[in-house]
Amino acid sequence: MTAPDAPARPADDAPPGDAARPADTARPPRAPAPGAVQPRPGRGGRVRGRVRAGGRLSPLLVVPALAAALLAVLPLGYLAVRALERGPAYAWDVVADARTGELLLRSLGLTAAVVAACLLIGVPLAWLTVRTALPGARAWSVLVTLPLAVPSYVTAFAWLSAAPSLAGFTGSAVALTLACFPYVYLPVAAALRGTDPGHEEAARSLGHGPLRTFLRVTLPQLRPAAAGGALLVALYVLSDFGAVSLMRYDTFTRGIYTSYRASFDRTPAAALSAVLVVMTVLLVAAETRSRGRAAYARTGKGAARPAVPAPLGRLRPLALAWCGTVVALAVGFPLATLGYWLAVGTSATWDPAALTTTALTTLGVAAGGAALTTLLALPVGVIAARGRGRLARLLEQAAYAGHAVPGITVALALVFFAVRYARPVYQETPLLVCAYAVLFLPVAVGATRAAVLQAPPVLDDVARSLGRGPFGVLREVTVPLAAPGIAAGAALTFVVCMKELPATLLLRPTGMDTLATRLWTETGTGSFAAAAPYAMALILLAAIPSYLLGRHRT
């Protein structure tokens, strides 16, 4: 009796499509078409020019990517040089000064208060809109994200103009909390949608009530998302300048700005900026460590079932009141306050011609910043998506360096560079545009990388096999396929450039104002009616690309 013939095993290097076929039925390689240009193999049989593991990166991408990386790490180099310019002892005296300790406690206290408040608001809102039978849950889920379109200094202006007694810690905490809680809500809501409700059902079957099930089962699964959102809030609060300045509450960012304006010696401002960067790094490290090694993904077979909305019963009016109160305070109150000041304002308090000029200036510099940022992000994003190896990782990580540096520190670095090495661009628009590129390069790089990853890399190889060079492949294949994602990143960059305040204050050309700086100036002198048109115009202009972006994604 003979054993049946065993199916032939595929070769170890067979492609995935042929791995499942027996050897005797494997598809033979196709003959090249007559006249077709074949790819030229490089080392190891790889197609030359393709950005793959072990392959060479095209100089067409590496050179501009290096330029973007150098621009992004410039603030960190500035801090190292400037803070130690007069010796480590002098820098240590600045850091060890009692005033620095006071600013540290103020900044950490404000950060802790805002993070705690955002968690108390964002987590319950996410649970109500995702896991309960809340009436109009979809509408509420949109309304609670609207505060992201309102700059924190506009929220601070609204509350300060209505209740001047809030100036200080309380007003800063209220304004930043109402502006930042969506950073917690969004990741927690996404985590709730992806969490298998079977764990909660098992807990209830064991006799646990709804509250105990939430605290013992649901909440631990939300810890990574809540911690990530809390980190975003903490970084935002530490780097915020507009809200704390309008509320006249001294934190590190306001102390850096005051030190820069009060003295020709830039070393104290650089030393304070270095402390702020260290605090940012420590926060990121603490959040990473808090994740631990616990597993939060499902390990069973099949897909998770959608959760059955929990009935609210008698708590329905209370839940609706809670959602309505949050939206009213975060969105309704600022808009109502701006409407009031617009109504009481006259031609003596604000000039429509000046408003139009300022709005056009804002659009111009924001468009320039978005264009430069997108151009710099394109080679970095392509390398991050297609490239492998140490150089590709370093270029991508360097592009994100500006994300850890506050805007005021970026402005100080560019002032230092311009005064010493590029005097003609000092206090000129190109320097301000470069600051926007440093600050918001991660936004454009992330969008570009995601868009390029969605384009099949085999199409690049096909274009090379037809004789296209690196530039031709980029222009005719990669960029057209990734164009929607690149455009989305450009739109996001345009919006954040419009709202940027601290770098604009330090780098704007003499006599030039944007909507953000004009709002800050008018509010600083107590001219609330004169500031309201600029605040409203900023919100309306920022809402247009945001709406188009959201409509495109849906």
Side-chain angles (χ1 to χ4, degrees):
M1 183 174 182
T2 60
D5 294 337
R9 298 180 59 185
D12 293 338
D13 58 350
D18 294 334
R21 293 191 185 93
D24 57 347
T25 60
R27 185 168 50 195
R30 296 179 179 178
V37 179
Q38 297 302 307
R40 293 174 295 175
R43 295 179 180 178
R46 296 182 181 90
V47 179
R48 183 178 299 179
R50 182 172 177 177
V51 187
R52 277 299 192 187
R56 293 182 178 180
L57 297 177
S58 171
L60 178 69
L61 296 174
V62 172
V63 173
L66 283 175
L70 290 176
L71 182 63
V73 301
L74 178 63
L76 298 179
Y78 160 78
L79 290 180
V81 173
R82 195 63 160 170
L84 301 176
E85 188 176 31
R86 300 182 61 179
Y90 183 80
W92 174 251
D93 290 340
V94 174
V95 173
D97 186 72
R99 176 61 175 169
T100 304
E102 181 182 355
L103 292 176
L104 177 63
L105 293 177
R106 283 171 167 263
S107 298
L108 292 178
L110 180 62
T111 301
V114 174
V115 168
C118 288
L119 288 172
L120 292 176
I121 294 175
V123 174
L125 280 177
W127 184 75
L128 286 174
T129 56
V130 176
R131 285 298 183 89
T132 68
L134 180 71
R138 291 187 178 181
W140 287 116
S141 64
V142 174
L143 290 174
V144 296
T145 61
L146 288 180
L148 292 176
V150 183
S152 60
Y153 50 84
V154 173
T155 305
F157 156 73
W159 285 93
L160 183 64
S161 62
S165 60
L166 285 177
F169 176 84
T170 303
S172 300
V174 169
L176 289 171
T177 298
L178 294 176
C180 293
F181 77 85
Y183 291 115
V184 173
Y185 166 82
L186 290 173
V188 172
L192 281 172
R193 294 187 186 98
T195 302
D196 189 353
H199 301 290
E200 302 167 19
E201 295 171 358
R204 294 193 195 99
S205 67
L206 294 175
H208 296 294
L211 180 59
R212 190 174 183 183
T213 298
F214 177 78
L215 295 177
R216 298 286 299 274
V217 179
T218 307
L219 196 58
Q221 296 182 80
L222 301 179
R223 188 179 71 174
L231 175 64
L232 292 177
V233 174
L235 296 179
Y236 188 98
V237 175
L238 283 178
S239 62
D240 179 79
F241 173 76
V244 295
S245 295
L246 294 180
M247 288 293 179
R248 300 175 184 86
Y249 184 72
D250 286 336
T251 59
F252 259 104
T253 51
R254 194 168 186 235
I256 294 169
Y257 181 81
T258 303
S259 176
Y260 170 77
R261 288 296 190 185
S263 173
F264 289 102
D265 186 6
R266 309 300 186 218
T267 302
L272 293 177
S273 299
V275 175
L276 189 58
V277 172
V278 171
M279 292 171 58
T280 300
V281 173
L282 292 178
L283 278 175
V284 174
E287 190 273 337
T288 303
R289 187 178 181 84
S290 70
R291 301 175 193 170
R293 296 185 178 181
Y296 298 90
R298 298 178 70 252
T299 57
K301 297 180 180 180
R305 295 178 289 102
V308 178
L312 292 174
R314 297 180 180 179
L315 296 178
R316 178 179 295 181
L318 183 61
L320 290 173
W322 169 249
C323 295
T325 301
V326 173
V327 173
L329 293 177
V331 180
F333 182 79
L335 293 179
T337 303
L338 293 178
Y340 167 79
W341 287 112
L342 286 174
V344 301
T346 63
S347 59
T349 57
W350 63 281
D351 184 4
L355 175 62
T356 302
T357 302
T358 306
L360 293 176
T361 302
T362 303
L363 293 174
V365 295
L372 178 61
T373 306
T374 304
L375 288 176
L376 292 175
L378 179 60
V380 180
V382 173
I383 289 177
R386 295 284 194 258
R388 300 294 185 272
R390 183 176 302 177
L391 179 58
R393 291 195 300 269
L394 288 177
L395 290 175
E396 183 182 8
Q397 292 170 1
Y400 283 86
H403 189 64
V405 183
I408 192 169
T409 303
V410 172
L412 290 174
L414 292 179
V415 167
F416 173 80
F417 175 80
V419 169
R420 292 204 172 190
Y421 307 106
R423 186 73 181 183
V425 300
Y426 176 66
Q427 283 195 326
E428 296 294 338
T429 302
L431 194 63
L432 177 60
V433 171
C434 288
Y436 291 157
V438 174
L439 288 169
F440 308 122
L441 186 62
V443 176
V445 168
T448 302
R449 178 180 182 273
V452 175
L453 282 174
Q454 293 178 350
V458 68
L459 298 180
D460 296 351
D461 291 339
V462 172
R464 291 188 184 93
S465 71
L466 296 176
R468 298 295 188 272
F471 181 75
V473 173
L474 186 68
R475 178 173 57 88
E476 300 179 18
V477 179
T478 308
V479 172
L481 290 175
I486 296 173
L492 286 174
T493 306
F494 178 77
V495 172
V496 294
C497 287
M498 288 181 59
K499 300 189 296 182
E500 205 285 328
L501 178 61
T504 309
L505 282 173
L506 293 181
L507 298 177
R508 56 180 172 157
T510 303
M512 189 194 83
D513 274 317
T514 65
L515 292 172
T517 60
R518 190 67 179 176
L519 168 63
W520 187 81
T521 301
E522 297 292 352
T523 308
T525 59
S527 304
F528 299 126
Y534 298 98
M536 185 64 76
L538 181 60
I539 294 176
L540 293 177
L541 291 177
I544 295 174
S546 300
Y547 168 76
L548 294 177
L549 181 62
R551 184 178 179 182
H552 170 73
R553 287 183 175 180
T554 56

